[in-house]
Amino acid sequence: MDYTIRYGLEFNPFLKNSKEIFVSTDESKEVLFRLDYLAKTKGFGLLTGSPGRGKTTAIRKWVQTLNNSQYKVVYTCFSTFSPNDFYRNLATELGAQAHYRKPDNFRVIQEELTRLSVEKRKTPVIIIDEANYISSAILNDFKLLFNFEMDSRDRAVVLLSGLPSLNATLRLSVHEPFRQRIIMNYELPAFTKEEGKSYVLDKLQRAGATRAIFEDAALEAILNASDGTPRIINNLCNSCLLIGDSRKSDMITAEIVMQAINNNEI
């Protein structure tokens, strides 16, 4: 028997590569509201949070709401690029011809941003993930790279997403001019216990569950161990389903959760 069948599930909602289920919470609504504000206002935005808090999931959900005829979305993960590769990649993703020299890439990036904004009437949305790896030199470059008409107009949305250490970096006096240009700054908090419980139950229900699968004590143990972090909740729930199936248990008990916690070394 497949473990999903044992628990009456159409698929495992806790696996990353399964059908993604976006669970709406007060915090997720707040994030989407702020991202929508950034899209309409244009300029620099900052979304931070500890690992596994759901930054990428929130951004992906937001991007799905953007009209393709009004926005051109470019995603890049800074941790995989050297500074020069970053500019070359950004130029290419925007549809421009990349060059080897930074000044040439600056020029074609600005030209393409202007073409998209003025000629195509599209707002470029540049999402930079793992932005906590950005060097001071790159942050200083951003003030020049996205400067149009003597600061009178923003033509692009630039969203930096990363760990909370990014905020600490931007609080340095050398970055004060850049920090003043950030119009949206939000740090994702952990789930409360109520939100965590709703998160698990909502995922199960939308995966086809028609009965209780986790005992109350099991849910409590998961939420205590995860400290409200969605990624850890997913990992523990997935482990619990596998362990429960191996034990031929139709309910996930606190004992099963404790084994999952030990297996995950949390």
Side-chain angles (χ1 to χ4, degrees), residues 7-24:
Y7 298 107
L9 301 174
E10 297 169 11
F11 58 93
N12 185 341
F14 304 109
L15 285 179
K16 186 176 182 179
N17 60 352
S18 65
K19 180 180 177 182
E20 183 172 60
I21 296 176
F22 183 80
V23 178
S24 181

Side-chain angles (χ1 to χ4, degrees), residues 192-202 216 219 223 233:
T192 64
K193 281 195 175 181
E194 287 185 2
E195 287 174 333
K197 184 176 181 179
S198 295
Y199 176 81
V200 173
L201 296 180
D202 196 7
D216 288 342
L219 276 177
L223 298 176
I233 292 174

Side-chain angles (χ1 to χ4, degrees), residues 3 17 43 64-65 89 107 112 119 155 158 189 218 230 238 251:
Y3 71 100
N17 60 352
Q64 292 172 355
T65 68
N89 179 72
R107 175 179 53 79
E112 189 60 23
E119 296 179 19
R155 288 183 175 157
V158 182
N238 176 58
M251 285 287 289

Side-chain angles (χ1 to χ4, degrees), residues 3-247:
Y3 71 100
T4 55
I5 296 176
R6 176 180 296 282
Y7 298 107
L9 301 174
E10 297 169 11
F11 58 93
N12 185 341
F14 304 109
L15 285 179
K16 186 176 182 179
N17 60 352
S18 65
K19 180 180 177 182
E20 183 172 60
I21 296 176
F22 183 80
V23 178
S24 181
T25 64
D26 289 342
E27 289 301 333
S28 67
K29 291 175 184 176
E30 181 67 22
V31 173
L32 293 177
F33 173 81
R34 291 180 183 239
L35 290 173
D36 284 340
Y37 168 78
L38 178 64
K40 294 172 184 175
T41 308
K42 302 178 188 178
F44 291 102
L46 192 65
L47 180 63
T48 58
S50 299
R53 288 281 169 86
K55 299 182 294 296
T56 302
T57 300
I59 291 172
R60 190 160 49 239
K61 178 65 176 179
W62 170 60
V63 167
Q64 292 172 355
T65 68
L66 298 178
N67 190 322
N68 290 333
S69 66
Q70 296 177 313
Y71 297 93
K72 178 177 176 61
V73 178
V74 171
Y75 174 89
T76 184
C77 183
F78 191 83
S79 65
T80 62
F81 293 110
S82 68
N84 196 40
D85 286 340
F86 171 77
Y87 295 120
R88 287 174 52 80
N89 179 72
L90 181 55
T92 301
E93 289 295 325
L94 284 169
Q97 178 64 48
H99 296 268
Y100 288 98
R101 297 176 63 249
K102 186 172 80 171
D104 293 331
N105 283 318
F106 265 40
R107 175 179 53 79
V108 298
I109 288 171
Q110 287 196 322
E111 288 175 352
E112 189 60 23
L113 291 175
T114 299
R115 187 185 73 83
L116 285 168
S117 178
V118 178
E119 296 179 19
K120 298 292 186 180
R121 297 189 180 278
K122 280 189 173 185
T123 299
V125 177
I126 300 168
I127 300 168
I128 303 172
D129 206 355
E130 307 283 358
N132 43 285
Y133 291 105
I134 290 182
S135 66
S136 293
I138 299 295
L139 288 173
N140 289 331
D141 284 345
F142 279 177
K143 299 195 296 288
L144 303 174
L145 184 59
F146 298 102
N147 182 33
F148 296 95
E149 298 182 5
M150 299 180 67
D151 269 345
S152 65
R153 180 180 303 174
D154 285 309
R155 288 183 175 157
V157 171
V158 182
L159 176 63
L160 279 65
S161 175
L163 300 178
S165 58
L166 181 57
N167 267 311
T169 299
L170 293 176
R171 281 194 290 269
L172 298 174
S173 59
V174 67
H175 297 312
E176 181 62 23
F178 178 79
R179 192 171 66 85
Q180 289 179 1
R181 295 188 61 181
I182 295 173
I183 64 170
M184 192 284 290
N185 188 345
Y186 190 73
E187 182 168 344
L188 274 171
F191 282 160
T192 64
K193 281 195 175 181
E194 287 185 2
E195 287 174 333
K197 184 176 181 179
S198 295
Y199 176 81
V200 173
L201 296 180
D202 196 7
K203 280 205 163 196
L204 289 170
Q205 182 181 31
R206 290 161 69 180
T210 57
R211 64 173 180 84
I213 296 173
F214 288 77
E215 292 182 350
D216 288 342
L219 276 177
E220 183 76 13
I222 288 171
L223 298 176
N224 287 336
S226 67
D227 197 28
T229 300
R231 184 183 298 162
I232 298 178
I233 292 174
N234 288 335
N235 290 342
L236 286 176
C237 287
N238 176 58
S239 293
C240 286
L241 293 178
L242 293 173
I243 295 169
D245 182 57
S246 70
R247 293 186 176 189

